[in-house]
């Protein structure tokens, strides 16, 4: 179906690779380096990026990037309230304008509900260890192993995750 983005609505139908390409372009626009490198981009017939060959992430770069799962969870759980989200109980099964649900006390909105969000991490088991600046597993993985956070207008309030 390809990327869909209307004025005041969150972008939808975004692949993980589309999000990475957007982050790189945003970095360039803001005169930063890019956090993601790759050797080749592959697109489907609708213009969505379906693969970035040789993809590597450099967390040391000052650049726009997807949040790590830990960063996303930290931000979301500081004032998590799924009752302020667009979910299957109140959304009429459609996307709503960005931040049209009440923001939390930190000014964050749509962390729960409306549309799901890609984070930088791949699924990996956490062990009983302390991590400092955890950036998640970095080795190649298929898209089924990329972490998605939040929830969408299609999820029940009880099914929104952080």
């Amino acid at each position: 179906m390809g990327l869909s983005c209307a004025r005041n609505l969150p972008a939808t139908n975004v692949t993980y690779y589309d999000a990475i390409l957007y982050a790189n372009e945003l970095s360039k626009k803001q005169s930063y380096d890019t956090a993601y490198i790759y050797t080749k981009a592959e697109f489907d017939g609708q213009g969505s990026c379906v693969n970035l060959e040789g993809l590597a992430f450099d967390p040391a770069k000052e650049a726009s990037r997807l949040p790590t799962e830990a960063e996303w969870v930290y931000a979301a759980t500081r004032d998590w309230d799924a009752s302020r989200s667009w979910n299957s109980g109140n959304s009429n099964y459609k996307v709503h304008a960005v931040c049209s649900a009440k923001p939390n006390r930190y000014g964050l909105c749509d962390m729960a509900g409306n549309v799901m969000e890609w984070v930088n991490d791949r699924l990996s088991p956490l062990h009983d260890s302390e991590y400092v600046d955890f950036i998640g597993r970095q080795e190649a993985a298929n898209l089924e192993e990329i972490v998605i956070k939040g929830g969408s207008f299609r999820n029940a309030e009880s099914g929104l995750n952080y």
Side-chain angles (χ1 to χ4, degrees):
M1 185 172 192
L3 172 70
S4 175
C5 188
R7 185 174 180 92
N8 298 326
L9 293 178
T12 58
N13 300 314
V14 177
T15 69
Y16 173 72
Y17 302 118
D18 289 333
I20 286 172
L21 292 175
Y22 179 82
N24 272 359
E25 288 304 311
L26 186 57
S27 291
K28 292 175 191 173
K29 184 177 180 180
Q30 297 171 332
S31 299
Y32 289 123
D33 202 347
T34 56
Y36 302 98
I37 59 168
Y38 56 92
T39 55
K40 180 181 174 188
E42 298 174 28
F43 296 88
D44 66 12
Q46 285 81 35
S48 291
C49 187
V50 294
N51 188 39
L52 291 174
E53 202 170 287
L55 177 62
F57 169 62
D58 185 348
K61 297 275 178 84
E62 186 173 335
S64 294
R65 60 174 176 78
L66 297 176
T68 65
E69 182 177 16
E71 290 167 337
W72 193 98
V73 169
Y74 177 77
T77 58
R78 295 193 64 190
D79 190 21
W80 181 263
D81 185 356
S83 69
R84 289 194 303 247
S85 69
W86 290 115
N87 57 68
S88 64
N90 64 5
S91 69
N92 292 322
Y93 292 93
K94 65 179 185 173
V95 174
H96 289 265
V98 172
C99 291
S100 58
K102 184 180 175 190
N104 70 17
R105 63 184 160 150
Y106 300 101
L108 300 174
C109 51
D110 296 336
M111 297 293 286
N114 213 11
V115 298
M116 299 180 96
E117 301 171 22
W118 291 111
V119 295
N120 200 59
D121 298 1
R122 280 98 173 138
L123 289 174
S124 65
L126 293 177
H127 304 284
D128 294 332
S129 302
E130 281 192 32
Y131 293 93
V132 176
D133 298 331
F134 183 70
I135 60 166
R137 193 177 91 200
Q138 294 301 298
E139 62 267 13
N142 61 41
L143 280 180
E144 287 79 33
E145 294 181 327
I146 304 296
V147 177
I148 300 174
K149 301 304 289 180
S152 84
F153 61 91
R154 292 185 177 114
N155 297 115
E157 185 178 318
S158 62
L160 304 175
N161 81 50
Y162 59 81

